[in-house]
Amino acid sequence: MARILIAEDEPDVLTFVVRALRGAGHEVEGVGDGSDALAALARAREANRPHDLLLTDILMPVMDGVSLALLASRDQSELRIMLMTGYSDQRERAHGLDAIIHDILLKPFTLDELVTRVQTVLDGA
C-alpha cells in the first residue's frame, strides 16, 4: 500500500481517481489545485507520513501541475511524480523534466490503465 496524493481540479475525475486507487488498496488523498497539494505534501512530511506518489493534472488554476511537480520534487526528492492531462499539447510542457516526472497519463484513461500505470511507477519500473 502506498500513500498517494491526487491534485485534480475536475471533481468527477478526482472522485474517479481517488476511488480507483483506494480500491487498489492505496491510502489516497485528493485536492483540487496545486497550492492545496503543496500544503498537503508539507503536512504529511511534518507528520512523518510522507506521500509516495503525487499524481497531478497538468492544467489547473492557481498552480499548474508542472509548477507543482518542480516545487514538490525540490522539497521531497524521493517523491514519485506522475502527470495527467486531457490535452496532448500539454505533454510538451513536461519536456525536459524526465528526472522528476515518472509517467504522463493521457485522459481519458480506464480504471485498469490508471491502476496499472500507478503500480508500475510505484514499483520503479
Side-chain angles (χ1 to χ4, degrees):
M1 174 183 79
R3 288 185 35 84
I4 301 173
L5 178 63
I6 311 299
E8 168 61 62
D9 64 316
E10 294 292 330
D12 292 340
V13 176
L14 180 60
T15 299
F16 170 78
V17 172
V18 167
R19 285 183 181 166
L21 295 176
R22 281 183 181 155
H26 300 292
E27 184 178 336
V28 184
E29 179 179 0
V31 297
D33 67 59
S35 61
D36 288 344
L38 269 184
L41 289 167
R43 280 191 308 273
R45 280 193 319 276
E46 289 169 8
N48 204 25
R49 297 194 70 232
H51 293 91
D52 302 300
L53 174 72
L54 168 64
L55 175 56
T56 179
D57 190 16
I58 292 177
L59 195 57
M60 293 184 294
V62 183
M63 179 187 297
D64 68 20
V66 172
S67 299
L68 170 58
L70 289 167
L71 291 169
S73 67
R74 176 199 68 194
D75 294 338
Q76 188 178 342
S77 61
E78 68 281 1
L79 180 67
R80 296 188 181 275
I81 301 173
M82 291 178 66
L83 300 177
M84 57 183 160
T85 185
Y87 304 95
S88 59
D89 62 325
Q90 290 296 314
R91 283 186 73 165
E92 298 304 315
R93 297 199 47 227
H95 182 72
L97 299 177
D98 296 338
I100 64 168
I101 304 300
H102 293 83
D103 197 3
I104 300 174
L105 191 58
L106 292 179
K107 299 175 189 174
F109 45 80
T110 65
L111 182 138
D112 287 340
E113 181 181 11
L114 169 67
V115 170
T116 299
R117 300 267 295 271
V118 163
Q119 194 59 54
T120 298
V121 168
L122 289 169
D123 291 343

